Amino acid sequence: MSTSRLSPDALTPQQPISQLVVDVLHLLMGEMRGPFTSINQSLPKLRDLLDAEAYADATQETQRLLGESERLLSVLDLLLNMMRENKVKLLPSLYTPHKICQLVLAAVAPASEAAKVTLQVDIAPEAPKLTADERLLIQSLVCCCELALEATSLPGTITLEVVAEPTLYHFRLHDPRPYPPETLATLQRDFATPLRVLLQQRSAMRVFLSRFILRAHGGLLQLLPSGTGGVTFDLSIPRPERMVPVILQDASPLFEET
Amino acid sequence: MVNSANLPNAFQPHSADSPADNRWLILFAHDVRKPIARLISTLHLLNDMLTAQDYDGVEMVMNIALDSGEDLQRMLSDLPFQPRTELSTTPTQLVPLVERVVYSFQESAHAAGVSLGSTMPADVPLLQIPSSQLMRVLNNLIDNAIRYAPNSAVQVVVSPLILEANGVRLLQVGVLDNGAGIHPLLHRSIFDYFFRVVDQKEPDGYGLGLPFCKWIVEQNGGQIWVESTLGEGSAFWFTVPIYPLSSGTAPESEP
């Protein structure tokens, strides 16, 4: 045991952000209870693959399950850190956009296969690396993919495009499939609702989480209508040189989005 | 009852769908980290074995992953978690529960250089506390002992003596370590919400484990405290009501 632990010096204070975190947790449990259950239900499937010596499939399933578990833990840690320190704490590293996209595709592969939707990636070969909290950024992208996959039952192709602008990185999820008007209206309403109001309504967890993660990175999430009746989810984060100041920032202002 | 005057805002009664307060939600977020983290480390190991085409031990590793999944499922089925304000009507068997918890921590204890065991008398009475709640108290205390007193001996101890307070018979249970101990000025504060001593070597602490233990124990009619001497170790003791002898209800063995 470290002796520094034994001293009453340097104690952390109690934090006022705690109520907001409680609201986020309510959302998590209300709308994202699914990931907990999904992880638990995937384990017997993995065991069956191992029993059948289907090792290639088992490896793929292990990696998918690992990613899902790590993202869930990152979200929990984000919330608990906010509760403890009243700050949003990111763990940014340098990543290639290609890797981010491949991990997103792997994460949503079972859902996209079930929906008969093909997911494809469009990245310029020269796209530079980006700085982000990888697991949280992927969670944000996965949330948008899930929103798209659930928006309509039509088969089709969704494209994840990466565009590097001088100051911003864009991850654009183009879904040309026409959405039912009521679904589109709900999405547009949720995207136009301030985060704090979404919390009070305890609804739209995926919209909330995705937007909150991007704002914590100093970025934005926008919903853009497409000419086909579908949408483009536009997730933007600053280029690495602009990321540093937002690694650790006060959490409260992030909820005040209008 | 818990005195809510000193609680942070998040834990004050405030919403229609959480009649008492919101602590169960934070407790869930705090406690669910452990089975998920354990699952992640197991899956990493499994992935390494599969990638290296080393299939000999995959069954054993898979069983550990399934155990973590079961822990996760138990916590989910316990939601919305709320320590009972009335006494539990189902008795709990302490011995198999302690054995299970101690077994589940052997791997992390070994990794921290901790020898982990238990000392229990021959006849342990049934307890009046839901087994899932008792398990979470033990989980948090043992986890703390392993993390904060590495390379020590940690023992779960059940006192052979029966205490009595206000006509209620109580059993005393403790988690003891021979680590570096805790400063006397902190003996009360460590049970406060978010109270922790900054230590860069221990980034995972949220200052929530002990307050939640206190909450659960007190809501079930017991008390919790620490006895510690610097340089000698710490003993976290708590008391739990013994199930009344007259009842014939079948015991709740494990959550």
Side-chain angles (χ1 to χ4, degrees), chain B residues 90 92-93 97 129-136 252-255:
Chain B
T90 309
T92 289
Q93 289 181 312
L97 193 145
I129 180 173
S131 57
S132 60
Q133 296 182 22
L134 183 55
M135 190 170 194
R136 290 170 89 155
E252 190 180 356
S253 56
E254 284 184 33

Side-chain angles (χ1 to χ4, degrees), chain A residues 1-2 4-16 18-19 21-23 25-26 29 33 36-37 39-40 43-44 46-47 50-51 55 58-59 62-63 65-66 69-70 72-73 76-78 80-81 83-84 135 202, chain B residues 8-10 14 17 22 24-26 28-30 32-33 36 39-40 43-44 46-47 50 55 62 65-66 69-70 72-73 76 79 148-150 180-183 185-186 193-199 202-203 205-206 208 230:
Chain A
M1 181 184 283
S2 162
S4 66
R5 177 177 307 286
L6 308 175
S7 160
D9 298 336
L11 304 174
T12 55
Q14 296 181 352
Q15 305 301 332
S18 50
Q19 184 54 58
V21 176
V22 164
D23 289 339
L25 283 168
H26 269 290
M29 294 318 302
R33 192 173 170 135
F36 293 103
T37 307
I39 288 169
N40 206 38
L43 288 168
L46 178 57
R47 181 195 55 204
L50 291 172
D51 286 347
Y55 294 124
T59 304
T62 300
Q63 289 167 355
L65 196 50
L66 194 50
S69 305
E70 287 179 336
L72 190 55
L73 191 64
L76 286 172
D77 282 341
L78 176 75
L80 287 167
N81 273 315
M83 175 78 86
R84 186 183 64 189
R135 289 169 189 166
R202 293 189 181 166
Chain B
N9 288 340
H14 83 295
D17 61 344
N22 290 306
W24 67 270
L25 207 53
I26 314 295
F28 176 79
H30 175 262
V32 83
R33 288 191 80 261
I36 294 176
L39 179 63
I40 288 170
L43 290 172
H44 271 298
L46 187 61
N47 188 47
L50 290 170
Y55 305 131
M62 190 64 229
L66 286 166
E70 285 175 14
L72 200 57
Q73 188 58 43
L76 283 172
L79 288 174
Y148 295 145
I182 301 167
H183 195 287
L185 288 176
L186 303 181
Y193 285 87
F194 303 112
F195 186 99
R196 59 190 289 275
V197 181
V198 177
D199 184 345
E202 185 48 62
Y206 287 102
L208 290 170
L230 282 176

Side-chain angles (χ1 to χ4, degrees), chain B residues 23-157:
Chain B
R23 272 173 288 186
W24 67 270
L25 207 53
I26 314 295
L27 175 61
F28 176 79
H30 175 262
D31 282 7
V32 83
R33 288 191 80 261
K34 295 184 183 76
I36 294 176
R38 184 167 168 238
L39 179 63
I40 288 170
S41 63
T42 309
L43 290 172
H44 271 298
L45 178 60
L46 187 61
N47 188 47
D48 290 346
M49 293 170 81
L50 290 170
T51 305
Q53 299 187 345
D54 172 14
Y55 305 131
D56 284 348
V58 292
E59 187 179 345
M60 185 188 72
V61 176
M62 190 64 229
N63 285 336
I64 297 172
L66 286 166
D67 278 349
S68 302
E70 285 175 14
D71 286 344
L72 200 57
Q73 188 58 43
R74 277 192 205 97
M75 300 188 79
L76 283 172
S77 60
D78 208 23
L79 288 174
F81 175 86
Q82 198 64 249
R84 300 177 185 180
T85 49
E86 72 277 11
L87 292 175
S88 174
T89 55
T90 309
T92 289
Q93 289 181 312
L94 179 64
V95 174
L97 193 145
V98 168
E99 287 172 345
R100 185 184 188 284
V101 173
V102 167
Y103 175 77
S104 73
F105 274 100
Q106 286 301 337
E107 193 182 328
S108 53
H110 179 73
V114 167
S115 68
L116 174 62
S118 61
T119 306
M120 295 183 276
D123 293 320
V124 177
L126 297 173
L127 300 178
Q128 195 163 30
I129 180 173
S131 57
S132 60
Q133 296 182 22
L134 183 55
M135 190 170 194
R136 290 170 89 155
V137 172
L138 287 168
N139 273 337
N140 272 300
L141 293 179
I142 295 172
D143 186 59
N144 277 353
I146 292 172
R147 285 193 295 145
Y148 295 145
N151 304 309
S152 74
V154 175
Q155 282 282 309
V156 180
V157 175

Side-chain angles (χ1 to χ4, degrees), chain A residues 14 176 189 257:
Chain A
Q14 296 181 352
R189 184 200 65 207
E257 182 190 58

